[in-house]
Amino acid sequence: MSPTRSSAKAPPCAAGPVEATGSAADFLPSRKTLPALRRAVQGCRGCTLYACATQAVFGEGPRKAAVMFVGEQPGDQEDRAGHPFVGPSGRLLDVAIAESDIARDDVYVTNAVKHFKWEPTPRAERRRIHKTPTRGEVMACKPWLDAEIALVQPRLIIALGATAAKALLGPAFRVSTARGKLQTLESGSMVVATVHPSAVLRAPPEERAKAERAFIRDVTTALRRIPT
Ligand code: URA
Ligand code: SF4
């Protein structure tokens, strides 16, 4: 059978209790290069999310990218493909980037959480329903994101949605009030947050076009303001 999306089997979730250490820090390689991190993340047991996912999905893009996009976690298609932002959210992100002067291949894209969290339901044998990661899962996974930021040293990080923004800026961060505002991380990178593209895709039909325009405007505005 050809490996099409519909024929790809959902991964089996572990039947018994799932072991996790509580932090990805236990699994980071001593030699911190992007390829070494990308290999090591597959063995991460920092939280229990690895048990139901097909694979970890690490960030991708140039090692010295000026811009890093941080999403929430891989979705259904990213989980199967092993690459970030290849599904519907990624297509909307591509549209937004295409409206700017930056080439898609020049940005680094990653997620706050590296394993797909989904809800196994009796009716959802094929369609796996995304679940928002908890603060504990986001914090357990944070060492991977911190390592990516330390290596890439992006001048600008664009946080896509509340999970990414809170991972970077703390739990009190509200996208609703701070959307579009530039802030500085301890690492020196600037961060700006906008909504997650999946929120745009889920907007009711009558609000969808407006939400899409606002998202594209946020991304293009941010990409015009990359600090030098
Ligand atoms: N949504 C995300 O947050 N990240 C992806 O990689 C895909 C969808
Ligand atoms: Fe490790 Fe993050 Fe996966 Fe949890 S989600 S197992 S911390 S890589």
Side-chain angles (χ1 to χ4, degrees):
M1 213 192 300
S2 67
T4 60
R5 194 163 82 82
S6 56
S7 68
K9 266 216 203 95
C13 291
V18 176
E19 302 288 335
T21 66
S23 175
D26 300 319
F27 303 91
L28 253 63
S30 46
R31 225 171 65 86
K32 288 181 188 56
T33 64
L34 288 173
L37 289 160
R38 188 169 287 117
R39 274 192 301 276
V41 74
Q42 297 304 339
C44 185
R45 302 291 181 259
C47 77
T48 58
L49 295 185
Y50 69 87
C52 290
T54 310
Q55 57 195 318
V57 179
F58 203 64
E60 288 179 359
R63 147 103 164 77
K64 281 289 165 206
V67 180
M68 177 183 283
F69 284 89
V70 182
E72 179 186 87
Q73 59 170 336
D76 176 82
Q77 294 192 29
E78 290 79 14
D79 170 81
R80 298 178 202 270
H83 303 287
F85 284 105
V86 293
S89 293
R91 285 193 285 280
L92 179 52
L93 182 60
D94 290 350
V95 169
I97 296 171
E99 297 267 325
S100 78
D101 292 336
I102 308 272
R104 174 69 178 74
D105 287 347
D106 287 345
V107 305
Y108 189 95
V109 290
T110 191
N111 284 297
V113 167
K114 308 304 193 220
H115 278 105
F116 176 38
K117 181 173 183 179
W118 58 284
E119 184 112 87
T121 63
R123 290 176 56 235
E125 265 173 26
R126 283 209 184 143
R127 212 169 92 73
R128 300 177 297 168
I129 311 298
H130 153 280
K131 266 190 99 177
T132 304
T134 64
R135 177 86 189 150
E137 287 157 350
V138 173
M139 292 321 290
C141 209
K142 186 83 189 313
W144 296 115
L145 179 60
D146 287 341
E148 288 177 293
I149 294 172
L151 280 167
V152 178
Q153 296 184 320
R155 298 204 297 272
L156 179 69
I157 299 174
I158 303 181
L160 300 172
T163 299
K166 288 177 188 206
L168 293 162
L169 296 162
F173 186 86
R174 294 283 173 275
V175 174
S176 51
T177 51
R179 179 174 183 173
K181 288 198 188 123
L182 268 182
Q183 320 213 21
T184 313
L185 286 187
E186 271 174 32
S187 65
S189 294
M190 304 296 289
V191 190
V192 64
T194 181
V195 294
H196 194 283
S198 70
V200 176
L201 298 174
R202 280 197 313 268
E206 64 278 15
E207 287 166 28
R208 167 75 194 271
K210 193 169 162 234
E212 191 168 315
R213 277 198 303 277
F215 173 73
I216 292 173
R217 194 188 331 113
D218 278 0
V219 171
T220 51
T221 304
L223 291 178
R224 267 200 306 273
R225 293 194 303 179
I226 301 171
T228 45

